[in-house]
C-alpha cells in the first residue's frame, strides 16, 4: 500500500468535509431547534438563570456544572439559555467532525470526509448525548482543535491564545478541563518534535487557570470524597452482544441503560464497528510506512491506554480497589469511566480517515497503472469513500431517531416565573436575599423530574439554576447494575421522611429551610399535610409553601442537605 502523498496535499479544501458534517449535524439536531429550553436528563436550563450557590459551586455539592452554569447565566441577557443549549448540542457534533477534518487535511478528501464522519457519528458520541451530557462532550469535540492549536506555527503568544480559545469550551465542566489539560500538555510534549519547555510551562499555567473556577469551590465548599458505590454504578458495561470488552472496544459500554442504542443489541452495528476498527488498522499501517512513527505512537497510546483503563476498572478485583479509592479527594471525578473513551474515539476517527484515504488512493493508483482514465479512478475512490462513510453510519443507525425523541425544546409554564419571583422576592422571617437567604426544599425527594409539559423523558431538577437561595434536593442517583439497584450519593437524616412525604415545620426551620416548592405530576410522594406552613402560591404544576420562623442560613454552612458521591 502506498502513502497518500500527504505532504503534497496542504491545499486540499476543507469545504466538502465541512459540508458533510453540517448535513449530519442538521440531521441529528434539527428537532432540538426552536423556542424554549431543553430538559433532558442532566442537560437542563431555566429561562432566567442566576448566579446562585449552584452556579458558583458554593452549595456544598460537587461542582459538576461549574463554571458552565455561571457562564450560561452571564450570557443569558445576550443569548437565551435555550439557544445556548441548542448551540452546544449542535456544536459538539459539528466541532468534532470539522476538527478531525483539519487534522487530516494533508491526507486527501476521502480521508477528511471519512474521518470527520467517524468523529461526529459513533457510539461514544451517541451514548454521551443520550445520557444528557453535551457540555462534557464538548471536551471530546475540542480535542482535535487543541491538538491543531498546539501544533500550529503561530508565534508563541498567538499560539497560547489559540490554545486557550480551543480549550475554553472544554473547560466549561471539571472533567472537560482535566481532559483539555491532558490533551494540550500531551500534544506539546509528545507530538511536537522539539518541545519548547518554556511554552510547555505556559500551557501548564494556562491549564491550572482554566481549572480554578471549579477546583477552588470543590476544595473550599465540597467534601472532596465520593460514594464507594459510584465506582461500580458508573463502571463500563455491556451495551451489545459483544459483552463489556467488545462494547468498550467499539466505543460503547456506557453504564446508563437509557443511554444505550437498541441497535447495538443486534449483530450488524457491532460488526460494522469492527470493520471500522479494521480500517483504523489500515490507517496505522499507512502511518508507519509513511514514516509518521511519532504520530502513530501517540494515536496508538491514545486508543490503547484509556481503553485498557476502562476495561480494568470494570473488572471485579480492580473495581473493588477503585471503589475504596472513591474516598480519596479527586478520584470521584473519573468514576464515570466511559468518558475516558473520548481519546480513543478521536484516535479511531483519525486512523479511519487515514486508512480510508490510503485504500482509495491505492485503488486509484492501480487503476491508473492499468490504463484506466483519471475520471474512472476518481469515481472508484469516491465510491470507496462512500462505502467507508456508510460503515461508520451503520455503527449507530438509530442515533437520529433517539436524538429527535430526546432533545425537544419546551416552554416553562407561566406559574414557574411566579414561583421563582415569590421565593427570591419574598423573604420569610424578614430575611434578605443572597448568602443569608433561607434554603429552599424541592419535593418530591427525587433528583429527576418527569412531567407532562416536558414529555416522557426524565430531567434533573432545574430549580437550583433559577434561585439565588440554596436549594436542598435529592442528588442520589439509583443505577441498575447486574439486577440490583445501586444508590449513589449521601442523604441527610431527614431524607427518609421527605421521601415518604412527611415534613415537620420545626425541623425545616431548624435546618434553615424557608420555602418548600412542590412539583406536581412527577414521580414521588408529596406531603399530604402541611401543618404550620403558609401557602404562598398554588398552581397546576407547582405549589409553594413558606416556613414561618426559618433560621437564617449561615454563610458557608454546609452541614445539611445531600452531598452527592
Amino acid at each position: 500500500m502506498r502513502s497518500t502523498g500527504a505532504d503534497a496535499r496542504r491545499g486540499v479544501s476543507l469545504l466538502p468535509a465541512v459540508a458533510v458534517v453540517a448535513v449530519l449535524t442538521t440531521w441529528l439536531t434539527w428537532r432540538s431547534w426552536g423556542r424554549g429550553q431543553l430538559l433532558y436528563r442532566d442537560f437542563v436550563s431555566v429561562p432566567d438563570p442566576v448566579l446562585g450557590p449552584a452556579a458558583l459551586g458554593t452549595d456544598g455539592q460537587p461542582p459538576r456544572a461549574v463554571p458552565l452554569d455561571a457562564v450560561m447565566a452571564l450570557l443569558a441577557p445576550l443569548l437565551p439559555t435555550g439557544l445556548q443549549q441548542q448551540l452546544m448540542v449542535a456544536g459538539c457534533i459539528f466541532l468534532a467532525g470539522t476538527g478531525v477534518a483539519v487534522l487530516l487535511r494533508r491526507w486527501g478528501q476521502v480521508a477528511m470526509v471519512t474521518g470527520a464522519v467517524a468523529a461526529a457519528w459513533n457510539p461514544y458520541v451517541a451514548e454521551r448525548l443520550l445520557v444528557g451530557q453535551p457540555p462534557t462532550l464538548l471536551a471530546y469535540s475540542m480535542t482535535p482543535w487543541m491538538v491543531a492549536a498546539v501544533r500550529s506555527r503561530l508565534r508563541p503568544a498567538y499560539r497560547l491564545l489559540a490554545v486557550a480559545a480551543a480549550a475554553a469550551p472544554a473547560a466549561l465542566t471539571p472533567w472537560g478541563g482535566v481532559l483539555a489539560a491532558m490533551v494540550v500538555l500531551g500534544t506539546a510534549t509528545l507530538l511536537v518534535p522539539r518541545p519548547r519547555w518554556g511554552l510547555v510551562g505556559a500551557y501548564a499555567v494556562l491549564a491550572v487557570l482554566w481549572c480554578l473556577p471549579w477546583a477552588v469551590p470543590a476544595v473550599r465548599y465540597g467534601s472532596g470524597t465520593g460514594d464507594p458505590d459510584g465506582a461500580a454504578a458508573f463502571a463500563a458495561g455491556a451495551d451489545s452482544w459483544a459483552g463489556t470488552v467488545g462494547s468498550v472496544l467499539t466505543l460503547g459500554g456506557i453504564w446508563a441503560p437509557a443511554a444505550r442504542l437498541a441497535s447495538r443489541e443486534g449483530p450488524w452495528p457491532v460488526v460494522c464497528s469492527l470493520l471500522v476498527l479494521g480500517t483504523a488498522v489500515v490507517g496505522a499501517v499507512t502511518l508507519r510506512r509513511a514514516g509518521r512513527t511519532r504520530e502513530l505512537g501517540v494515536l496508538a497510546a491514545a486508543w490503547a491506554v484509556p481503553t485498557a483503563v476502562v476495561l480494568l476498572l470494570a473488572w471485579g478485583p480492580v473495581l473493588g480497589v477503585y471503589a475504596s479509592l472513591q474516598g480519596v479527594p479527586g478520584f470521584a471525578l473519573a468514576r464515570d469511566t466511559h468518558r475516558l473513551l473520548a481519546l480513543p474515539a478521536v484516535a479511531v476517527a483519525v486512523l479511519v480517515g487515514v486508512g480510508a484515504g490510503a485504500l482509495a488512493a491505492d485503488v486509484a493508483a492501480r487503476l491508473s497503472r492499468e490504463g484506466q482514465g483519471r475520471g474512472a479512478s476518481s469515481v472508484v475512490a469516491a465510491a470507496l469513500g462512500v462505502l467507508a462513510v456508510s460503515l461508520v453510519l451503520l455503527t449507530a443507525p438509530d442515533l437520529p431517531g433517539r436524538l429527535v425523541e430526546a432533545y425537544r425544546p419546551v416552554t416553562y409554564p407561566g406559574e414557574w416565573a411566579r414561583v421563582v419571583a415569590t421565593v427570591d422576592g419574598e423573604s420569610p422571617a424578614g430575611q434578605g436575599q443572597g448568602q443569608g437567604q433561607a434554603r429552599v426544599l424541592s419535593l418530591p425527594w427525587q433528583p429527576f423530574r418527569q412531567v407532562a409539559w416536558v414529555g416522557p423523558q426524565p430531567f434533573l431538577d432545574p430549580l437550583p439554576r433559577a434561585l439565588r437561595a440554596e436549594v436542598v434536593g435529592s442528588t442520589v442517583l439509583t443505577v441498575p447494575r447486574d439486577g440490583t439497584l445501586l444508590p449513589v450519593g449521601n442523604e441527610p437524616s431527614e431524607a427518609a421522611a421527605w421521601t415518604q412525604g412527611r415534613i415537620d415545620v420545626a425541623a425545616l426551620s431548624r435546618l434553615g429551610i424557608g420555602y418548600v416548592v412542590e412539583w406536581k405530576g412527577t414521580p414521588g410522594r408529596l406531603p399530604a399535610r402541611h401543618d404550620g406552613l403558609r401557602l404562598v402560591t398554588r398552581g397546576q404544576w407547582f405549589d409553594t409553601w413558606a416556613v414561618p420562623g426559618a433560621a437564617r442560613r449561615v454563610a458557608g454552612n454546609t452541614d445539611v442537605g445531600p452531598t452527592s458521591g
Side-chain angles (χ1 to χ4, degrees), residues 98-123:
T98 53
V100 167
V102 168
L103 295 183
L104 292 171
R105 193 169 184 180
R106 297 181 177 182
W107 293 90
Q109 292 291 358
V110 172
M112 292 165 60
V113 172
T114 305
V117 173
W121 185 306
N122 58 61

Side-chain angles (χ1 to χ4, degrees), residues 452-466:
W453 53 271
V454 172
Q457 67 268 26
F459 58 95
L460 199 66
D461 190 342
L463 195 60
R465 291 164 170 81

Side-chain angles (χ1 to χ4, degrees), residues 422-511:
T422 298
V423 173
D424 270 346
E426 182 181 323
S427 183
Q431 297 169 12
Q433 293 184 358
Q435 189 73 0
Q437 188 175 6
R439 288 180 166 129
V440 178
L441 176 64
S442 183
L443 296 177
W445 188 254
Q446 292 192 7
F448 286 91
R449 305 301 183 211
Q450 190 175 12
V451 292
W453 53 271
V454 172
Q457 67 268 26
F459 58 95
L460 199 66
D461 190 342
L463 195 60
R465 291 164 170 81
L467 297 178
R468 294 183 178 88
E470 179 184 331
V471 176
V472 178
S474 175
T475 58
V476 172
L477 184 64
T478 302
V479 182
R481 296 306 300 259
D482 301 324
T484 62
L485 296 177
L486 291 178
V488 182
N490 301 314
E491 299 269 41
S493 58
E494 296 79 12
W498 293 340
T499 301
Q500 296 299 318
R502 302 194 308 270
I503 53 177
D504 176 73
V505 66
L508 295 178
S509 181
R510 175 175 51 83
L511 295 174

